[in-house]
């Protein structure tokens, strides 16, 4: 699955954890799901992959994520969790993201970009981050 998508650009999210007792936990979990859209736009890639525990799958689906159902869940980081592989496809997110999540995505991604002066602090060209395919 990864190899087939590499020519179109893939970014992998790692380390997205929200503590059970965190204030506004639900909003944080939703924001982590929307991170897919921001990172795909920022890095100009078509796909993002992440692994997610079963208890956040529905929330991340609402931002357009799709579970790779043909891959069995893995007990990671320990036996309390069933971790699944999820994909986001930048070209299909509008058809998959729920309306409220989509509204938040569009609001955030439609804001005008900062000027080169603001972005670099020098008035020079903005340097785009390099993409890694490893």
């Amino acid at each position: 699955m990864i190899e087939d998508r590499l020519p179109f650009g893939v970014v992998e999210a790692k380390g997205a954890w929200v503590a059970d007792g965190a204030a506004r936990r639900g909003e944080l979990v939703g924001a982590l799901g929307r991170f897919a859209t921001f990172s795909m736009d920022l890095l100009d890639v078509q796909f993002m992959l992440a692994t997610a525990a079963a208890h956040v799958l529905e929330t991340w689906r609402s931002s357009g994520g799709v579970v790779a159902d043909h891959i069995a869940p893995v007990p990671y980081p320990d036996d309390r969790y069933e971790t699944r592989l999820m994909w986001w496809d930048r070209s299909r997110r509008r058809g998959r993201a729920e309306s409220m999540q989509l509204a938040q995505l569009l609001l955030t991604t439609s804001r005008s970009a900062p000027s080169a002066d603001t972005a670099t602090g020098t008035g020079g060209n903005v340097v785009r981050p390099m993409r890694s395919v490893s």
Side-chain angles (χ1 to χ4, degrees):
M1 291 177 74
I2 296 169
E3 188 174 327
D4 290 345
R5 289 168 170 84
L6 282 178
F8 306 100
V10 175
V11 64
E12 179 181 6
K14 291 186 162 212
W17 294 87
V18 178
D20 288 338
R24 301 178 66 182
R25 184 175 192 279
E27 287 101 340
L28 287 169
V29 170
L32 289 171
R34 288 189 302 278
F35 172 77
T37 297
F38 305 136
S39 60
M40 290 185 298
D41 288 342
L42 178 67
L43 298 172
D44 193 25
V45 299
Q46 184 173 344
F47 297 101
M48 182 173 139
L49 72 98
T51 56
H55 65 276
V56 299
L57 295 179
E58 286 308 312
T59 300
W60 286 12
R61 277 186 180 114
S62 72
S63 68
V66 176
V67 176
D69 287 323
H70 65 286
I71 298 176
V74 176
Y76 178 82
D78 60 43
D79 290 339
R80 295 176 296 161
Y81 299 92
E82 285 193 353
T83 300
R84 306 295 306 259
L85 176 66
M86 293 192 80
W87 284 100
W88 285 259
D89 181 338
R90 185 175 173 195
S91 68
R92 295 184 181 178
R93 69 177 173 220
R94 292 178 195 266
R96 292 192 174 127
E98 291 181 4
S99 59
M100 183 56 98
Q101 289 282 10
L102 181 58
Q104 290 177 350
L105 292 171
L106 293 176
L107 176 65
T108 306
T109 58
S110 67
R111 292 184 181 137
S112 61
S115 69
D117 293 344
T118 303
T120 64
T122 65
N125 294 329
V126 175
V127 177
R128 292 181 53 127
M130 293 179 63
R131 288 187 272 164
S132 172
V133 293
S134 59

